[in-house]
Every structure is written in structure tokens, then in C-alpha cells.
Amino acid sequence: MKILSTIVVFACFAHFSYAQGANVNIEQNPKIDQLLEIYKSSLSNNEYYRIQVGFGNYAKAQAIKANVEEDFPDLSSKIDFDSPTYRVRVGRFTSKLDAERKFNEVRIKYPDAMLLKPKKSTK
């Protein structure tokens, strides 16, 4: 009888007890959001290393851009107008090492490619 009553007590205890439940509340200093916005804006103003793969009139630049997008789909490509020609430039590299690695890869397919350094800011 003692064993039966012990089992009933443990069964009732197990039935009415609950697993641990928790709510996590994160209290964050509102200045962190301001710092994140400043950081994002500073990144957007940074200069990047780019690779110029070709240039010419607009039709030629479009053809080069189409070829580059086919050969290197992981690189973003853009046509920039720099009077009097259109220039096809790819990539946005923050470090020179990354830019040089990709430049060596691109140069195999496009031997006239040039690695462009970021312009110095006059601010």
C-alpha cells in the first residue's frame, strides 16, 4: 500500500508540474540602432576596387557586359560613361587582396582587363 501511495503521489506531481518555460526580453540601448545606421552609411560611401574589362561605344560595351555576365555570374557588372567612351567594370572589392585574386581570374579570359584603385577622397 505504501508503494502504491508513493506512485500515486509521484504521478500526480508529474502530471501537475510543468516544464520550464521562459521568455527572453532583450533590452538594447537605442544608440545601437543609431550606430548601425552610421556604420551602414559609412560603408556605402567607401571606395571600392573595381576591374575594368573593356571599353568602347555603347553597343560594344553592352556586348562586353553580356559576355562578362555569362563568364562571371558571381560578379556585378556595370557600364560607366567616361567621356568619350563607355567602360565595363565589374566587382566591388573592399580589400586589395580580394581584388587581385579575382583580377588574376578575370585576366585569363579578358587579357586587357585592368585593376582600378579607389580614388582618394579630397574631404
Side-chain angles (χ1 to χ4, degrees):
M1 184 71 167
K2 197 174 194 182
I3 294 175
L4 184 58
S5 64
T6 307
I7 291 175
V8 170
V9 169
F10 280 123
C12 289
F13 180 72
H15 179 68
F16 291 109
S17 66
Y18 295 106
Q20 294 179 352
N23 289 330
V24 177
N25 293 324
I26 298 174
E27 294 183 22
Q28 173 176 300
N29 190 334
K31 290 187 178 184
I32 291 177
D33 292 329
Q34 292 173 349
L35 288 174
L36 283 173
E37 289 303 318
I38 292 170
Y39 178 72
K40 287 177 187 177
S41 68
S42 71
L43 284 179
S44 66
N45 294 334
N46 282 350
E47 297 291 334
Y48 297 94
Y49 288 91
R50 312 273 326 257
I51 299 171
Q52 181 173 307
V53 291
F55 63 92
N57 61 24
Y58 189 67
K60 184 177 178 183
Q62 284 182 320
I64 293 170
K65 183 177 186 280
N67 290 337
V68 169
E69 287 175 347
E70 186 177 309
D71 295 333
F72 300 98
D74 59 321
L75 288 178
S76 62
S77 60
K78 184 178 178 186
I79 297 176
D80 294 331
F81 179 71
D82 192 7
S83 185
T85 60
Y86 292 89
R87 300 168 192 273
V88 180
R89 296 178 177 159
V90 297
R92 283 180 72 159
F93 305 98
T94 55
S95 74
K96 186 174 183 180
L97 182 62
D98 291 338
E100 287 178 345
R101 285 179 181 158
K102 191 52 97 169
F103 173 66
N104 289 333
E105 187 179 325
V106 169
R107 195 159 181 196
I108 293 169
K109 182 75 177 172
Y110 299 93
D112 294 334
M114 298 185 310
L115 181 62
L116 303 176
K117 297 179 183 178
K119 295 178 181 177
K120 300 263 183 189
S121 177
T122 57
K123 293 180 183 176

